[in-house]
Amino acid sequence: MELEGVEIEDTFAEAFPIKVARALITAVNERWAMEVAREATGFGTSVIGCPSEAGIDKLLTAEETPDGRPGVAIMICHFKKDGLKEQLIGRLGQCVFTAATTAIFNGLEAEEKLPVKLHFFGDGYEYEKAVGGRKVWAIPIMGGEFICEEEYGVKSGVAGGNFFIFAKEQMCALTAAENAVAAIQHVEGAITPFTAGVVSSGSKVGSKKYKFMHATTNERFCPTLRDKVEGSAIPEGVHAVYEVVIDGVSEEAVKKAMRAGIKAAVKVPGLVKISAGNFEGKLGKYQFRLKEVLGL
Amino acid sequence: MELEGVEIEDTFAEAFPIKVARALITAVNERWAMEVAREATGFGTSVIGCPSEAGIDKLLTAEETPDGRPGVAIMICHFKKDGLKEQLIGRLGQCVFTAATTAIFNGLEAEEKLPVKLHFFGDGYEYEKAVGGRKVWAIPIMGGEFICEEEYGVKSGVAGGNFFIFAKEQMCALTAAENAVAAIQHVEGAITPFTAGVVSSGSKVGSKKYKFMHATTNERFCPTLRDKVEGSAIPEGVHAVYEVVIDGVSEEAVKKAMRAGIKAAVKVPGLVKISAGNFEGKLGKYQFRLKEVLGL
Amino acid sequence: MELEGVEIEDTFAEAFPIKVARALITAVNERWAMEVAREATGFGTSVIGCPSEAGIDKLLTAEETPDGRPGVAIMICHFKKDGLKEQLIGRLGQCVFTAATTAIFNGLEAEEKLPVKLHFFGDGYEYEKAVGGRKVWAIPIMGGEFICEEEYGVKSGVAGGNFFIFAKEQMCALTAAENAVAAIQHVEGAITPFTAGVVSSGSKVGSKKYKFMHATTNERFCPTLRDKVEGSAIPEGVHAVYEVVIDGVSEEAVKKAMRAGIKAAVKVPGLVKISAGNFEGKLGKYQFRLKEVLGL
Amino acid sequence: MELEGVEIEDTFAEAFPIKVARALITAVNERWAMEVAREATGFGTSVIGCPSEAGIDKLLTAEETPDGRPGVAIMICHFKKDGLKEQLIGRLGQCVFTAATTAIFNGLEAEEKLPVKLHFFGDGYEYEKAVGGRKVWAIPIMGGEFICEEEYGVKSGVAGGNFFIFAKEQMCALTAAENAVAAIQHVEGAITPFTAGVVSSGSKVGSKKYKFMHATTNERFCPTLRDKVEGSAIPEGVHAVYEVVIDGVSEEAVKKAMRAGIKAAVKVPGLVKISAGNFEGKLGKYQFRLKEVLGL
């Protein structure tokens, strides 16, 4: 298969269930909303070594926010509901509540809700009011008043949607990955939790040499090892591979994000192949076949 | 006292010892170095509710980095050495190692060092080489090779340097705080760990109403409560207060940062007063008197 | 009248006919499209002293551009068709054609078209092809191939739509003006040609003191002269006024832009009043009454 | 010759005398100083088709500006002194004077000075004062007061310093060129006037096919024509070439800029060769031999 002259491998991405929450952060301007969203979703690339996965879903215009100010939607993901609750309290409480000019609202309609009780900080000076038809708390602080909802919808979403970009040179793969991530920013309900959305290091389970390691570099996907290992997956002329990993509120959101990302990536000169990562269908609940995702 | 027409209160900031590490992140360009630095230092405003305090120290030109590429120095702070070690492994391993085009080097000369052993990920394909006179590991990954040092200096630094900006209107306080933080970005060895460097919510110890709360809003510093509480610290005509909190590798670094920050802040029209926060000298090991800091 | 607690003066903006062209610039990523758009529309605040008025209309997603790449729509405005043609040739030829990874397409459907014949630069090596259903030239250059349409629609548009922001302090007026400009960026067919969209210096026709000057400061609108001149238009407590000037492809576009801008501005704390500038209806063909624009 | 494994052609850049002025723009923050600098230097890539060449020289910290605020130094270049004077008046008067929170100061010590008499706009309300030891005018405007010097040093500088980046793929050449331009931003007294500093279209004098054209594409430097023209200068495996053009206040500044730019460029993976453009020494007064520039 091909898309804009780039080979599309006939394979699939394999993904997993994860608990997802989503918050709308507003601020006096888009710049501040973004600063806050970045701090609140930082140190959140992978649940393997970070307290949670987290990322910026999308920019919100004034028309899309409860208080009519510029905003950013963020998503926080954790395998367990309790862990997610703790992360919501930590990230919203420490990185948004303390930040200049911000307000926070629930960004996910769901039957189940997690409490984030910030109003006690008001020590009795807080009060309830309505903003954009929502019941919120107004908490007096140094900067003025902080506005927040206290219940956040939680849903079962999808973690680990992905695709791989094989390119002739590192800068081609990088620009393609950047463009893919930029395109995914427009897809509602999907984040790319890794740093700037791009993963540079692929892993295999376990280790051949260091028995104490649970995961080590996947030598078959290392361009510099192409001629040194057996069964290299690196085609001739490929000098870099990047992966884009996607978490979404639903299968549909992940699918849309994969499609938008791949379509943006293949526009960049120097691409060789798009592929996807799976465990042969043995581990994950969800499968996203590139053929279907792209309608090829 | 006055500086550029703005009242400087004759008081002091009270600060505490903390363990500090510092890493130099380089990348193919400044933009990527910054993206990585933001992810690696996110969710790091305060040890009260974040896994550590963390922030961007300063941009590094190609001349200032071991590999001659653009870079960013970051700092990570934790009260305990073990906690700091764990945070280094988590933040560098998950947010920098996995990121596109990056390398990491130690950024703090110190007798004591913490190990961050990433090379095992190479599963035997890794090898040692020298970069900029430093012994590093080169680890084959999908994007090419990842370069890193494995020992990071740790020192006793200073947490909680601070100053307060009182302004007529919220936007005056905000711009002044932004400018202060931008100026502190040029001071080596100092970070402003809160979101974009600015704190909007001041707290007092304990609560008058909610006995289960360890800290609640400091009503004396809330402009909207000025006429509702006794002993308000808000001068007439002040509608917003922001705090800039500083962590540094040394007392000298914190002092320089406070000076640079305050000097930048007072240039902004609409400021009323600069002050600082302390516990009457009862809790912290370090005191930074504004008079001395500013040479007034 | 009031909007979100800010006084809206019952007055109108007076505007003029101007010839408008619009180009779609695409590039390998949004960052480059923006860089190019900025260069191509620079030195373009006012036809009084610049070769033309020019500005960025809006960002375009890949779905909105002929070649499926990220893009930016720009507008160029001149009182005369010949002047506009010359400016198109100069700005597109020198700032877009020479720039990395770019393509240019016509961005305005109109009966009348202006030729911008860049293909002769190809010296016979150029060739025609179709991109997104449009007939374009492909011109071999050092960076690869440059793609362009050669006919640009020209229409009679509207110049000088405007509103004024009166605020307590300069930073309030500035943030409000910034937010207004950011909101107008989402309105298709409208630009804010002044530097970052904001005008800091209002003028009156002629001079009281310097007879050789055609325009001088409008002292009635200078906050620092409030107590020194008769008939000051500056309300008590106002320390800064900024104007946002709008050019549009149509009356409707200007009206939408004024509405979006004012609605964004009044969200900022510290605003006192929104007004608009006119010549008592004596000079301009178009009038935009704030009452109608805002539906008050 | 080689630098970091990249071939350096043993050739030279040929450059020309030009008149240069330099202005220091300050603003309430770096962001506004940059916005203003961009507008004031836009539509300024080449004197061939733009009213002048213009660009951003470097960011200035508060310590480096007369008024202790953040700033940006810009340069404006024109072959004739009269043309330069007109451009200074137009660009500073229309793009800086009208802009929010700005001040302008002379940025070039020189015996000869050009007048930019903005103070008449004050209509008698303006007054003189001293800022940072300089005599300036304070002009009341809507936003507050505009501060400016009125005499700008003019010198004979150097236009057309340059180097060429040959790369395997377009994205390699682009990233290398971006990094070169970023490095040159740190060199005082040098600008890269083209869009974002990068030139995508090289030209030859005259035309083979269109006799009315003074310059057309240099087919020998077009990668897509490599196999179609005789004497192609494109090495095998090269798919993109970008040029960085430099104007400087002196030969030394241009030399430093070329060195900084090339050293930054060769760090990017996928580069093949660095060269430079000349007219065999027949046209330009200045020659910059790569060997000497780089100390090879």
Side-chain angles (χ1 to χ4, degrees), chain C residues 30-281:
Chain C
E30 185 186 300
R31 191 161 41 89
W32 267 95
M34 275 300 290
E35 288 280 359
V36 176
R38 279 199 196 103
E39 181 74 39
T41 60
F43 192 21
T45 65
S46 159
V47 286
I48 304 300
C50 296
S52 61
E53 300 187 5
I56 289 171
D57 180 1
K58 67 191 291 265
L59 282 173
L60 305 170
T61 63
E63 284 75 35
E64 298 173 296
T65 61
D67 62 2
R69 300 192 305 165
V72 176
I74 65 168
M75 283 166 50
I76 302 176
C77 308
H78 197 284
F79 283 132
K80 299 195 172 161
K81 216 188 311 174
D82 279 358
L84 182 55
K85 181 182 155 189
E86 195 180 277
Q87 282 292 304
L88 272 175
I89 293 170
R91 291 178 181 267
L92 300 186
Q94 295 297 316
C95 305
V96 186
F97 175 63
T98 61
T101 80
T102 46
I104 337 177
F105 304 91
N106 175 36
L108 191 64
E109 282 187 45
E111 282 182 29
E112 204 169 355
K113 303 224 168 169
L114 294 173
V116 179
K117 299 222 167 290
L118 297 174
H119 81 269
F120 293 124
F121 187 83
D123 201 11
Y125 296 103
E126 75 276 13
Y127 61 97
E128 285 185 281
K129 66 174 188 178
V131 169
R134 300 177 182 219
K135 203 174 77 177
V136 301
W137 287 98
I139 307 171
I141 54 173
M142 292 194 310
E145 279 186 349
F146 178 76
I147 302 293
C148 59
E149 281 191 293
E150 289 203 326
E151 301 216 307
Y152 289 80
V154 58
K155 258 190 190 168
S156 191
V158 177
N162 69 77
F163 57 91
F164 287 75
I165 296 166
F166 291 69
K168 290 184 190 164
E169 299 293 330
Q170 195 188 31
M171 291 306 107
C172 311
L174 188 65
T175 308
E178 289 173 347
N179 282 11
V181 170
I184 293 170
Q185 286 276 52
H186 292 284
V187 177
E188 188 163 316
I191 61 169
T192 53
F194 276 84
T195 303
V198 184
V199 187
S200 185
S201 60
S203 55
K204 65 177 181 288
V205 176
S207 168
K208 295 189 300 190
K209 182 167 181 186
Y210 306 119
K211 295 310 170 194
F212 51 91
M213 294 292 287
H214 296 109
T216 54
T217 200
N218 192 342
E219 63 271 12
R220 291 181 52 245
F221 283 81
C222 293
T224 64
L225 301 179
R226 182 174 183 266
D227 300 330
K228 294 174 188 161
V229 299
E230 270 186 58
S232 174
I234 303 297
E236 198 182 335
V238 164
H239 292 100
V241 180
Y242 286 124
E243 182 186 3
V244 174
V245 171
I246 297 158
D247 292 352
V249 294
S250 64
E251 279 188 87
E252 192 52 33
V254 170
K255 199 173 161 184
K256 268 191 197 167
M258 287 178 65
R259 182 164 50 227
I262 293 170
K263 284 178 72 172
V266 295
K267 286 278 178 186
V268 174
L271 283 227
V272 172
K273 189 172 81 168
I274 299 292
S275 185
N278 60 59
F279 307 89
E280 298 169 15

Side-chain angles (χ1 to χ4, degrees), chain A residues 24 26 65-67 69 102-106 116-120 125-140 145-152:
Chain A
L24 312 181
T26 66
T65 61
D67 61 3
R69 301 193 304 167
T102 45
I104 337 176
F105 304 91
N106 176 34
V116 180
K117 300 222 166 291
L118 297 173
H119 83 268
F120 294 123
Y125 296 102
E126 74 277 12
Y127 61 97
E128 284 186 281
K129 67 175 187 177
V131 169
R134 299 178 182 217
K135 204 174 76 177
V136 300
W137 286 98
I139 306 172
E145 278 186 350
F146 178 76
I147 302 293
C148 60
E149 282 191 292
E150 289 203 327
E151 300 217 309
Y152 289 80

